[in-house]
Amino acid sequence: MYNPFNQVMVIVAHPDDPEFFCGGTIARWAHEGVDVTYLICTRGDKGSNDPAMTPGRLAELRVAEQWAAARTLGVRQVVFLDYKDGELQPSLELRRDIVREVRRYRPEVVVTCDPTTRFSRGIYPNHADHRAVGDAALDALFPAAGLPLYFPELLAEGLEPHCVAEAYLCVTNEPDTWVDTTDYIDLKIAALRCHASQVPDPATLERRIRENVDPRQAAPNAPRCYAEGFRRIIIRR
Ligand SMILES: [Zn+2]
């Protein structure tokens, strides 16, 4: 597949979000030569039910897991912001911090969460942090990242305005764009296994992922194919 873009930034709330939400797509793009950068807004410091775990130790563990998963998929840059897990808000501060990294890395496409998803697939409550990061990221992309009078302190840091062309929204109930990830399903599973603190039963997770074939596949006996769906938003033509 020819990709009309070279730089992608994945802006999400937690370590493991990129791989769970769109790991196959990231692997595919990276292997097609796209330079992918992760911007992870928290270090996932609340994601444990072990009473002996501390937020500091968990954050350290999850940063290392995220780097391992990113390398597995072919992602070279992982940037962490220092917001607390479970407390992300679509604040001006978060918007500015996202604008800063968008202007620094200058992606043509940003992948983030659909902020309108209150219930994932209509039944699962969507994490508040996923909604908050989607809101903050879209508000950062339009119009703040592209206009010099927004956050003038960033200009003083040498970060010129940058217009992103498109956003691909994951965790969406309204997918309109599908990426065929059939050849990358093994890499997605390998990357998810890197998040050992979040995947207590990797065999069950793998079985579920392999059962979750492309929902558009009509013939039940056809060879299995996989796809990840996104809601595509055009920001600049
Ligand atoms: Zn998450």
Side-chain angles (χ1 to χ4, degrees):
M1 185 178 82
Y2 167 69
N3 282 313
F5 44 86
N6 300 305
Q7 300 279 342
V8 169
M9 179 174 267
V10 179
I11 305 176
V12 289
H14 311 118
D16 83 9
D17 286 350
E19 287 74 31
F20 271 108
F21 298 161
C22 49
T25 300
I26 292 165
R28 176 174 181 152
W29 286 347
H31 284 77
E32 288 174 345
V34 177
D35 187 18
V36 182
T37 299
Y38 287 176
L39 177 60
I40 317 268
C41 297
T42 80
R43 293 171 197 257
D45 50 274
K46 288 196 181 69
S48 173
N49 50 23
D50 175 359
M53 184 57 84
T54 66
R57 262 203 314 129
L58 184 58
E60 212 173 291
L61 183 63
R62 296 198 66 188
V63 165
E65 290 174 348
Q66 182 59 88
W67 267 108
R71 285 197 197 96
T72 300
L73 298 183
V75 173
R76 277 173 271 178
Q77 294 86 227
V78 184
V79 178
F80 291 92
L81 299 179
D82 274 326
Y83 291 86
K84 282 203 176 113
D85 188 1
E87 300 178 19
L88 210 56
Q89 296 287 321
S91 62
L92 274 176
E93 187 193 8
L94 177 59
R95 192 188 305 177
R96 182 204 57 211
D97 288 347
I98 292 173
V99 168
R100 176 184 286 113
E101 302 309 325
V102 166
R103 289 189 185 180
R104 195 192 315 274
Y105 287 93
R106 312 183 84 74
E108 295 124 305
V109 169
V110 161
V111 178
T112 190
C113 293
D114 186 339
T116 69
T117 302
R118 187 65 182 84
F119 300 103
S120 182
R121 283 181 259 169
I123 48 174
Y124 302 109
N126 186 19
H127 197 301
D129 288 355
H130 300 163
R131 307 197 307 272
V133 76
D135 255 334
L138 286 174
D139 290 345
L141 299 186
F142 182 83
L147 291 176
L149 293 179
Y150 282 82
F151 306 118
E153 64 271 35
L154 299 181
L155 269 186
E157 293 175 24
L159 297 168
E160 298 288 332
H162 173 71
C163 286
V164 170
E166 297 180 17
Y168 277 54
L169 305 184
C170 55
V171 196
T172 183
N173 291 321
E174 299 169 68
D176 53 30
T177 300
W178 294 83
V179 177
D180 183 343
T181 58
T182 306
D183 293 340
Y184 298 93
I185 200 73
D186 292 338
L187 267 185
K188 173 173 175 160
I189 290 165
L192 281 166
R193 282 176 178 267
C194 295
H195 295 286
S197 72
Q198 306 303 302
V199 180
D201 182 358
T204 300
L205 177 68
E206 176 167 353
R207 182 172 47 75
R208 283 204 192 121
I209 287 172
R210 291 194 188 280
E211 284 169 355
N212 191 21
V213 294
D214 186 341
R216 300 164 305 160
Q217 191 169 344
N221 295 324
R224 287 188 169 197
C225 65
Y226 299 92
E228 289 169 345
F230 301 88
R231 182 178 181 184
R232 193 164 155 228
I233 306 294
I234 308 296
I235 298 167
R236 161 176 68 83
R237 285 203 183 271

